[in-house]
Amino acid sequence: MFQSERFWGGLRGVINVLLVIYMLAPLVVTLVISFSSALYLTFPPPGFSLQWYEKMFNNPTWTRTLWTSVKIMIPAAIIATVFGTAAALALSRIKSKWAIAIRGILMAPLIIPVIITAAAIFGVFRIWGLYGTLFGLIIAHVILTLPFVLSTVSANLAVFDRRLEDAAANCGAPPWTAFRRVTLPLISPAVLSGMLFAMVISFDELIVSLFLSTPRVRPVTVQMWSNVRGDTDPTIAAIATVLFLFSLFALLMDGLARRRSGRAPGL
Amino acid sequence: MTDLTKMAGLSRRRFLSTSLYASASLAALGAFSRPAQAAANLAGREMVFASWGGSYQAAQEAAYCIPFMESTGALVIQDGPMSGSKLRTMVEAGEPIWDAVDVTDTFLFANEDLFEDLDFNIVDASALDQAYVHPKGIGAIVWSYNIGYNSDVVGDDVPQNWADVFDVEKYPGKRAFRDRIYPMMEIALMADGVAPEDLYPLDIDRAFRKLDTIKDHVIWYSSNSVSQQLFVDGEVGVGIILNGRAFDVNKKGAPVHVQWNQNIRSIDYLVIPKGAPNAEVAQHFMNATADADNQALMANTLAYAPVNPAAFADVEESVLPWLATSEENQAKGFLIRADYWRDNLAELTERWTEWKLS
Amino acid sequence: MYLKDRNIWLLAPAVLLIGLCFLYPVSWLLQRSVSEPVWGLQNYITIFSKTIYLGVLWNTVAIAGATTILCALIGFPVAYSMVHSSPWVRKVLIFAVLIPFWTSILVRTFAWLVILQRGGIINDVLIGIGLIAEPFDLVYNRFGVLLGMVQVLLPFMVFPLFSVMARIDGSYFKAATNLGATPIRAFFRVYLPLCLPGLATGAMLVFIIALGYFITPALLGGRGDIMIAQLIFERIDEFGDWPLASALAIVLLVGTGLLFLLINALLKIKGERI
């Protein structure tokens, strides 16, 4: 039995289903609670009500902070991906011992406890006038997400056959063309993974954003944190549900766009 | 609960007349509420007020900041949420962003050098209960750690004191305790029979021994929101809860109540960070927070007790049982000795961690 | 020479950004571990002599390690499925794995409490169908912590694995089985080693991030589930003890760095690199 493909395939299928349940469980609970008619968080909810969605949409703060989160997330993810991929490429080619040291430095934001990073960056950003600015938050998020891009792309580069690039060069391709036509397509799963990582991490980031934001420039995570201090009611469940729907929508749009452009829906 | 973020746009007088808590005591306002000096003219000036966010800060905005803006012409900008590390970082850097901050008593006492002295030529604290006035801060609200219980779970067996809470036979199952060394030490000692007046200096070893007797029957919460959850869902029958938190869910219909016996009062102070750019405006702001009308508004909204006795004239009947500084409740409890914790918190927090690991 | 120049240009943006906006302020903060209250190593001596710091450091490593192993066990089949299934299944899996990030940490935690607590969904169902009589303690203990952490850290194992697996030529495996190896043997001797860079990267990422977690363990864990980041936070937030907090951070940094070098060395022996 253990030698049969079917067995392993079936086992994988079971794991996949269990995984999806595991990942989705909190979200399903959240969804149910968001329609609760009770005034406080309780499960199962006593009845159905749209009051929390009403409360959320009536409060412009939520749409404003959500939009701020998006305004931070997209530029930060793009910059982190570009810088991180470039760094990964360079580091995969450098043979000297410096490569390890530089790699360590670039991965450092991952290892340093986030409260220290937050306090440190807050200190200098204040001096540089970046406190409470969108730009400051974007830079901070690039710093925090770059290590993810770097490590993901590096993993892929480790199995990348350098000779393919050399072959392209031998055929007369200039470096940028060789990269664009040969390397990039082959490492694209990693680059896209990295960018996706950067986006979700930026969206979910709390501590550094807490230090760097003000009520006027504030991502939705900080707003939720600020609210929970006093309001333990299902408003946050409504918000979480909306965020989930928003991300579902984005994913479907992405799938649709790929199909339209004729490219295989790879990632 | 009325949506205070919407209310923030209304003036205080309009709020009082349209709010759910409109009371006949509007008539009594004239007699007790006028502060001793007329409000200063601070048109064109501004200050930043930082607090804990959520409905608490929204209530403070409606009760303190807006009246202050109306009477003085200054602009109050909201910021937050409060974070000890963020406050510390900005003060140590030399030019804090925040001009007035809401901090806990233990934080104030342990970090006095982070704050400016109050200028009592500007700040009129004469009407306040002096127990809640500190050279560097005015008590904003008084709250308490109470015995909390879920009436569905305990039924008629309402806990009377902390010894009851520690009684696993009377209350099988788990109880909810706060994952901080204070006031767990005071509570353990009271459960072991020590009277409040004999508590300080605390016999820490005795307190830990008492906690050892039930440590496996406890759910430790490190967030007050989780404490509300534990009581609301009936995960625990008894435990410790902040009175305002119990009030919040009780008002919304949950079977959560507090026992006022052996309550431990604590204070949130309003302070001015050292080097605040608008410190002078902040000093004037303190008067708005000491004002009886404003304090009554806070009390009626969130059941956080006023430090100005005159405020009680405007407090709703239904809220009175929930206030820590009402005569009855104040008599049943005591004020936590923040000066004791100022001296011992650092060392005792380490012992707390050690005990938790054991 | 020309090649070297180009690499420097590629590295420059990342290094400059991290160097200026991160390394500079953070090292200025961390040097306080040796300069305050007086120059010397007394902060480090405090850490290594007090049982609570060693105990919590050990806890942290244990929890992070358990999380990593669990993520590897779950993540491997999931990544494999992502590579070898239809695009639709792949999309569903990617989405499922990333879901936790779209819900804030507070919402996630409360939802877990609702699901796991003694009066929660799982216990209600188990008691309802008669499987157990007394509810299980599924939260406010290590189980709850691991459940919560694995959920959020899984993508960091899955995606590096996925991107490496996607590039593995399926014909290697076929060749092995054609040459007479059983599928199991072919898997362990041929496929798994090819996945190693992805697995190592994933494990490293999960472990390092898990080391720095404190909110989830604090909310979902039990009395003894304290992690070092929580102590660091406490030291700064309540006591303003920057020197000790910095020293703890440096201990964490050095420990992780050594681990990183160790893994790198091991992989070099096997001919790969992270």
Side-chain angles (χ1 to χ4, degrees):
Chain A
M1 179 186 53
F2 287 114
Q3 312 297 349
S4 125
E5 264 297 313
R6 206 173 263 168
F7 169 76
W8 292 111
L11 185 65
R12 273 202 338 266
V14 169
I15 293 180
N16 288 342
V17 169
L18 287 176
L19 176 90
V20 173
I21 296 176
Y22 174 37
M23 291 288 132
L24 283 183
L27 191 71
V28 170
V29 166
T30 306
L31 193 87
V32 173
I33 291 180
S34 70
F35 290 108
S36 170
S37 60
L39 289 174
Y40 50 88
L41 275 172
T42 189
F43 192 90
F48 180 90
S49 160
L50 288 173
Q51 61 183 329
W52 308 113
Y53 289 96
E54 253 185 78
K55 190 171 173 195
M56 185 191 132
F57 285 116
N58 280 339
N59 189 346
T61 314
W62 292 114
T63 29
R64 187 164 46 87
T65 50
L66 180 58
W67 180 229
T68 306
S69 281
V70 173
K71 280 195 290 188
I72 298 171
M73 165 181 88
I74 308 251
I78 294 176
I79 298 174
T81 306
V82 171
F83 284 17
T85 306
L89 276 168
L91 286 172
S92 72
R93 293 174 190 160
I94 294 177
K95 304 293 175 203
S96 84
K97 280 206 210 78
W98 284 112
I100 296 232
I102 295 183
R103 194 181 286 277
I105 290 175
L106 293 178
M107 296 293 287
L110 214 56
I111 310 169
I112 303 281
V114 69
I115 181 70
I116 293 197
T117 307
I121 295 186
F122 172 62
V124 291
F125 274 22
R126 276 207 63 201
I127 299 172
W128 298 340
L130 290 175
Y131 171 71
T133 65
L134 198 66
F135 185 64
L137 280 162
I138 293 176
I139 301 265
H141 282 219
V142 171
I143 293 174
L144 292 169
T145 55
L146 199 141
F148 295 98
V149 178
L150 179 65
S151 53
T152 311
V153 176
S154 295
N156 212 335
L157 282 172
V159 297
F160 173 69
D161 198 341
R162 191 64 33 70
R163 293 172 298 178
L164 290 167
E165 246 182 3
D166 296 340
N170 283 346
C171 292
W176 172 247
T177 313
F179 172 73
R180 194 168 53 90
R181 308 289 295 276
V182 177
T183 317
L184 190 56
L186 287 171
I187 60 170
S188 64
V191 173
L192 286 171
S193 288
M195 186 154 88
L196 206 54
F197 264 168
M199 278 174 58
V200 293
I201 290 164
S202 162
F203 197 80
D204 199 41
E205 209 284 320
L206 178 63
I207 306 285
V208 177
S209 306
L210 199 67
F211 271 71
L212 294 179
S213 57
T214 58
R216 275 179 284 211
V217 180
R218 178 187 274 183
V220 73
T221 43
V222 176
Q223 185 63 35
M224 289 177 98
W225 182 258
S226 161
N227 255 57
V228 145
R229 296 317 199 94
D231 299 328
T232 318
D233 67 30
T235 317
I236 52 172
I239 295 158
T241 310
V242 168
L243 292 178
F244 160 68
L245 290 174
F246 166 74
S247 61
L248 181 65
F249 178 73
L251 200 80
L252 288 174
M253 285 297 105
D254 167 73
L256 228 66
R258 279 175 194 278
R259 214 150 295 145
R260 283 270 177 80
S261 76
R263 268 191 285 141
L267 202 76
Chain B
M1 195 194 292
T2 31
D3 188 341
L4 289 148
T5 42
K6 267 198 275 186
M7 295 298 179
L10 303 173
S11 79
R12 179 178 55 92
R13 286 240 172 266
R14 265 191 288 152
F15 176 85
L16 270 179
S17 61
T18 57
S19 80
L20 296 173
Y21 310 108
S23 58
S25 55
L26 263 176
L29 272 176
F32 297 106
S33 60
R34 290 287 117 232
Q37 34 176 208
N41 183 352
L42 297 165
R45 309 278 295 276
E46 64 175 44
M47 62 164 266
V48 179
F49 172 66
S51 182
W52 300 90
S55 55
Y56 178 58
Q57 185 158 0
Q60 288 178 310
E61 191 183 354
Y64 305 148
C65 304
I66 296 194
F68 179 69
M69 288 199 274
E70 284 179 350
S71 64
T72 63
L75 176 64
V76 178
I77 301 168
Q78 303 293 314
D79 201 349
M82 164 63 186
S83 147
S85 351
K86 189 169 175 179
L87 177 61
R88 200 186 296 283
T89 310
M90 63 170 80
V91 172
E92 285 176 9
E95 207 194 302
I97 301 163
W98 298 338
D99 298 299
V101 189
D102 182 310
V103 298
T104 60
D105 48 359
T106 31
F107 191 86
L108 168 59
F109 278 59
N111 298 287
E112 280 176 13
D113 48 338
L114 290 180
F115 305 114
E116 296 274 1
D117 291 323
L118 290 187
D119 183 347
F120 288 100
N121 291 322
I122 302 178
V123 181
D124 179 17
S126 52
L128 305 182
D129 186 335
Q130 293 304 303
Y132 306 129
V133 179
H134 185 277
K136 300 205 177 203
I138 290 199
I141 49 158
V142 181
W143 42 277
S144 55
Y145 302 99
N146 287 62
I147 297 171
Y149 62 95
N150 179 317
S151 47
D152 285 353
V153 175
V154 303
D156 293 322
D157 235 345
V158 174
Q160 297 302 311
N161 50 48
W162 293 110
D164 277 350
V165 175
F166 275 61
D167 188 338
V168 288
E169 272 159 35
K170 191 165 187 197
Y171 301 109
K174 312 249 180 178
R175 60 266 304 127
F177 280 172
R178 211 170 103 100
D179 188 354
R180 295 296 273 282
I181 189 152
Y182 65 90
M184 291 314 303
M185 294 286 98
E186 283 91 334
I187 286 171
L189 287 172
M190 282 197 280
D192 205 26
V194 179
E197 49 275 15
D198 302 325
L199 276 177
Y200 297 95
L202 301 174
D203 185 347
I204 301 294
D205 293 319
R206 181 174 175 182
F208 276 124
R209 277 198 302 275
K210 184 67 181 170
L211 281 174
D212 277 334
T213 62
I214 58 159
K215 65 182 178 185
D216 293 324
H217 297 265
V218 177
I219 295 181
W220 300 95
Y221 64 84
S222 49
S223 147
N224 287 318
S225 305
V226 174
S227 77
Q228 284 177 299
Q229 257 344 87
L230 289 169
F231 281 100
V232 161
D233 287 343
E235 280 297 290
V236 297
V238 298
I240 177 178
I241 194 169
L242 261 55
N243 73 321
R245 294 295 185 143
F247 175 72
D248 178 42
V249 287
N250 178 289
K251 221 173 38 145
K252 290 174 178 170
V256 177
H257 310 269
V258 294
Q259 163 64 260
W260 282 101
N261 288 345
Q262 300 191 316
N263 75 79
I264 304 174
R265 287 195 303 283
S266 188
I267 313 169
D268 261 28
Y269 280 99
L270 286 173
V271 292
I272 303 175
K274 217 180 201 82
N278 299 299
E280 201 202 324
V281 181
Q283 303 268 9
H284 287 280
F285 178 68
M286 297 295 169
N287 284 328
T289 64
D291 179 76
D293 293 346
N294 300 340
Q295 296 229 335
L297 200 55
M298 276 298 288
N300 285 329
T301 320
L302 291 173
Y304 284 132
V307 297
N308 187 338
F312 278 97
D314 297 336
V315 167
E316 274 283 297
E317 279 298 307
S318 59
V319 178
L320 212 56
W322 291 93
L323 296 181
T325 53
S326 73
E327 266 193 67
E328 190 189 331
N329 295 335
Q330 194 151 260
K332 290 186 185 166
F334 65 94
L335 186 62
I336 196 170
R337 285 273 298 276
D339 57 333
Y340 173 85
W341 288 109
R342 172 195 61 208
D343 297 330
N344 296 291
L345 187 61
E347 185 203 324
L348 290 179
T349 304
E350 282 188 347
R351 278 201 64 179
W352 181 250
T353 308
E354 202 181 334
W355 179 81
K356 281 201 299 173
L357 287 172
S358 65
Chain C
M1 281 306 110
Y2 170 73
L3 201 70
K4 203 171 175 193
D5 271 354
R6 187 150 51 98
N7 285 335
I8 290 182
W9 281 112
L10 286 174
L11 269 179
V15 173
L16 280 176
L17 182 68
I18 301 247
L20 189 64
C21 297
F22 174 79
L23 212 64
Y24 157 60
V26 168
S27 33
W28 184 84
L29 216 162
L30 291 181
Q31 57 84 26
R32 292 171 80 165
S33 67
V34 287
S35 62
E36 290 177 32
V38 285
W39 276 98
L41 293 172
Q42 71 274 20
N43 290 311
Y44 295 95
I45 295 174
T46 310
I47 294 175
F48 285 107
S49 58
K50 284 205 174 159
T51 48
I52 60 162
Y53 293 114
L54 292 175
V56 171
L57 277 167
W58 169 245
N59 252 7
T60 309
V61 170
I63 292 177
T67 307
T68 307
I69 293 174
L70 286 170
C71 281
L73 289 173
I74 301 175
F76 197 93
V78 172
Y80 188 90
S81 293
M82 277 167 67
V83 176
H84 291 98
S85 307
S86 66
W88 187 85
V89 172
R90 182 181 311 147
K91 266 222 148 45
V92 167
L93 286 177
I94 293 173
F95 190 64
V97 153
L98 286 177
I99 283 278
F101 281 107
W102 298 110
T103 56
S104 94
I105 192 167
L106 304 158
V107 174
R108 276 202 294 276
T109 311
F110 275 103
W112 277 126
L113 292 181
V114 163
I115 296 172
L116 296 173
Q117 58 191 4
R118 289 168 73 90
I121 301 177
I122 293 188
N123 276 318
D124 278 351
V125 165
L126 289 177
I127 291 181
I129 62 177
L131 215 61
I132 56 174
E134 281 295 308
F136 279 137
D137 277 326
L138 297 170
V139 74
Y140 304 117
N141 56 23
R142 181 112 357 148
F143 181 77
V145 174
L146 290 176
L147 207 64
M149 284 178 69
V150 167
Q151 189 202 28
V152 206
L153 294 177
L154 201 59
F156 299 111
M157 174 66 74
V158 168
F159 280 93
L161 262 178
F162 167 75
S163 66
V164 166
M165 280 180 179
R167 291 284 148 240
I168 292 177
D169 197 338
S171 51
Y172 285 126
F173 190 81
K174 276 225 174 63
T177 45
N178 281 349
L179 288 170
T182 60
I184 291 191
R185 212 181 152 135
F187 174 78
F188 278 105
R189 302 295 295 275
V190 176
Y191 193 74
L192 195 55
L194 286 173
C195 299
L196 210 52
L199 195 60
T201 303
M204 187 194 71
L205 271 180
V206 171
F207 188 75
I208 291 179
I209 301 170
L211 284 179
Y213 258 44
F214 67 100
I215 299 182
T216 305
L219 294 173
L220 294 178
R223 189 176 77 237
D225 294 321
I226 312 169
M227 301 200 38
I228 196 71
Q230 201 175 320
L231 284 191
I232 294 177
F233 181 81
E234 189 182 84
R235 284 284 122 192
I236 295 177
D237 201 73
E238 287 190 51
F239 308 114
D241 194 354
W242 299 102
L244 190 67
S246 308
L248 284 168
I250 296 233
V251 168
L252 205 61
L253 185 66
V254 168
T256 312
L258 288 174
L259 187 71
F260 176 65
L261 286 172
L262 185 72
I263 295 183
N264 225 30
L266 283 174
L267 285 179
K268 264 212 185 81
I269 295 173
K270 287 202 154 248
E272 305 288 353
R273 224 184 330 148
I274 294 185

